[in-house]
Amino acid sequence: KVIIKFLLENAPDYVFEEFDGATYRPDGSKIGYDGNGAFYLGGHRPCFDNPKVMEHAIKFVRKTVERYRDNEDILFWNIWNEPRIHSGECACKHSLKSYREYLKNRFGTVEELNKFAGKAWDSFESVQAPTSYRTYLDMFLWRQWSHVTLNSWLRQIYAAVKAEDASRPVM
């Protein structure tokens, strides 16, 4: 019997090169990618906040399920190996946009965010990714967003699998 595990957090090189799938630090520097013993394909940890990266991840998942769904030896689909907070490790323009949208949805107005956080941001667009020099509250909000984002990624991949094979379990 077989369990198919997609291991999306290990993308081929073209994801980083053609779709600018790399993750970025809050200072704007690119986090390098390479494989290692446990992460054996292309690069490690592309940014799934990048719409092109997620689009191609979903396409890969759907094509894989479509190809193998009729194989009776498949026990289930494993959509993500050890889900971790990868989004919290990226501060690219896509991640910042997602973070700011999260804050807008959570607080409604920048004034309410400022009241909660004891800050004086003039707009959601002025909110930046936290660094080690910011407050615990900045990191707390960033990590909350990271959990929401990771959940969104898992739901999208789950939906892609179920769209092609509604009968098998998904882990």
Side-chain angles (χ1 to χ4, degrees), residues 16-133:
F16 297 90
E17 295 162 5
E18 292 178 31
F19 309 135
D20 190 25
T23 54
Y24 288 81
R25 292 179 188 88
D27 68 5
S29 62
K30 186 185 284 190
I31 297 172
Y33 65 94
D34 61 16
N36 64 38
F39 303 105
Y40 44 84
L41 300 173
H44 178 54
R45 297 183 304 203
C47 179
F48 290 97
D49 292 321
N50 180 328
K52 287 183 182 179
V53 172
M54 183 54 83
E55 173 189 338
H56 286 274
I58 289 170
K59 182 178 177 182
F60 169 74
V61 166
R62 289 187 74 146
K63 288 287 187 182
T64 302
V65 175
E66 179 184 4
R67 180 174 182 175
Y68 295 107
R69 69 182 168 213
D70 295 328
N71 187 319
E72 63 187 40
D73 292 325
I74 296 175
L75 289 173
F76 62 86
W77 307 100
N78 183 344
I79 61 170
W80 207 290
N81 183 52
E82 301 174 9
R84 295 179 282 284
I85 313 296
H86 295 307
S87 61
E89 299 170 357
C90 185
C92 72
K93 64 182 179 183
H94 306 289
S95 295
L96 281 174
K97 179 181 177 188
S98 174
Y99 179 54
R100 291 166 179 159
E101 287 173 5
Y102 165 79
L103 293 173
K104 284 179 194 176
N105 290 334
R106 179 169 174 187
F107 294 100
T109 66
V110 73
E111 291 78 18
E112 285 299 312
L113 171 60
N114 285 334
K115 186 176 169 182
F116 176 83
K119 301 286 186 172
W121 287 304
D122 62 354
S123 68
F124 286 107
E125 287 68 35
S126 65
V127 177
Q128 298 298 315
T131 66
S132 59
Y133 304 109

